[in-house]
Amino acid sequence: MLRLMIVDDHPVVREGLRGMLEADPGITVVGEAASGDEAVARAGELRPDVILMDLRMPDGDGVSATGRILSERPESRVIVLTTYETDQDIVRAVEAGAAGYLLKDTSRADLLAAIVSAARGETVLSPSVATRLVTRMRAPVTESLSPREAEVLSLVARGLTNAQIGKALFISETTVKTHLLRVFGKLGVSDRTAAVTTALDRGLLTR
C-alpha cells in the first residue's frame, strides 16, 4: 500500500485527486497540504512514500518545499503536478530533487502509473515535458546576458519603448537598440517579443 500526500492550494483539486486516487486499492491518501510550508511540516508527520506537489502556492512554492522535504526525508518521492511547463520551472523542480514532472491534464491511468513508478525510484515526465528537456539539452549553449542587457530586456517585458527604457536607465535610445541587438544575437531571435519569451523560458528573466 503506497502512502500518498497531496499538496495543492485549491481545495477542489485536492478533493478531486483524493477521490480519483483512493479508488485504487494500492494507494492510500494519508493527508493533504495547501501550501509549501504546510507540506514540509505534514511530510515529516505523515511520512508519505510519494507526494503530489503543486508548483505555485502561497507560503512557500512547490520547488522550495520539495528541496526542504527531501533534505529531511530523502526516501520520499515528489512528483510535481502543475499546469506550468516552462523550461525554468522544469529545471528548478528537477534540480530540487523532484522524481517527476506531470501536467494536470494527465489521465488517471497515467497518473497512477507515474505514482507507482516514482515509488520504485524511477523518473516520470509528461511527454511534452520530456520533449522540452531533450530539446534544451540538445540546444547549443548560449551566452548569458550581461546585467545591463538583462535590465534592458526586463523593461521590454514590462512594455516600455526604447525611448522610455533610455530615460529610465539614463542612456541613449541608440544604446538601448545596441543592447537589444546583442540580446537578439545571443538568444537567436529577431524581435522583442521572441526575446522576452525565450529569455523567460531559459530562466534568464523572471516573471
Side-chain angles (χ1 to χ4, degrees), residues 11-60:
V12 68
V13 174
R14 297 197 306 273
E15 292 167 10
L17 286 171
R18 176 185 280 272
M20 180 174 67
L21 297 172
E22 281 195 322
D24 188 281
I27 292 176
T28 179
V29 177
V30 295
E32 304 174 6
S35 70
D37 288 346
E38 185 182 5
V40 174
R42 300 223 70 193
E45 299 167 2
L46 301 172
R47 306 175 68 80
D49 299 308
V50 178
I51 301 167
L52 292 182
M53 180 75 72
D54 190 18
L55 199 60
R56 301 185 185 179
M57 300 176 291
D59 300 322

Side-chain angles (χ1 to χ4, degrees), residues 55-192:
L55 199 60
R56 301 185 185 179
M57 300 176 291
D59 300 322
D61 66 10
V63 171
S64 62
T66 296
R68 291 163 62 195
I69 289 170
L70 295 179
S71 68
E72 298 174 6
R73 185 174 166 76
E75 62 270 29
S76 289
R77 299 288 180 263
V78 177
I79 299 175
V80 170
L81 185 63
T82 182
T83 56
Y84 302 98
E85 58 173 331
T86 68
D87 289 2
Q88 181 183 14
D89 288 326
I90 297 167
V91 171
R92 287 180 63 230
V94 172
E95 289 178 343
Y101 197 108
L102 302 177
L103 301 181
K104 286 184 176 176
D105 61 1
T106 300
S107 69
R108 176 180 181 273
D110 287 344
L111 182 55
L112 286 169
I115 291 169
V116 173
S117 295
R120 290 198 300 255
E122 300 173 16
T123 299
V124 291
L125 300 171
S126 288
S128 61
V129 172
T131 299
R132 292 183 75 97
L133 280 177
V134 170
T135 301
R136 181 184 176 93
M137 294 300 293
R138 289 177 176 171
V141 177
T142 56
E143 297 177 74
S144 61
L145 301 182
S146 71
R148 178 62 90 182
E149 289 165 353
E151 195 173 25
V152 168
L153 193 56
S154 69
L155 293 177
V156 170
R158 288 168 50 188
L160 274 66
T161 65
N162 289 349
Q164 291 171 329
I165 293 170
K167 289 180 180 178
L169 300 180
F170 303 100
I171 58 178
S172 70
E173 188 172 348
T174 299
T175 301
V176 173
K177 291 178 181 177
T178 299
H179 284 309
L180 285 176
L181 287 175
R182 288 176 180 161
V183 169
F184 293 174
K186 288 181 177 181
L187 300 181
V189 299
S190 59
D191 62 71
R192 295 158 63 97

Side-chain angles (χ1 to χ4, degrees), residues 187-205:
L187 300 181
V189 299
S190 59
D191 62 71
R192 295 158 63 97
T193 301
V196 170
T197 301
T198 301
L200 287 169
D201 281 346
R202 295 183 186 177
L204 301 175
L205 283 181

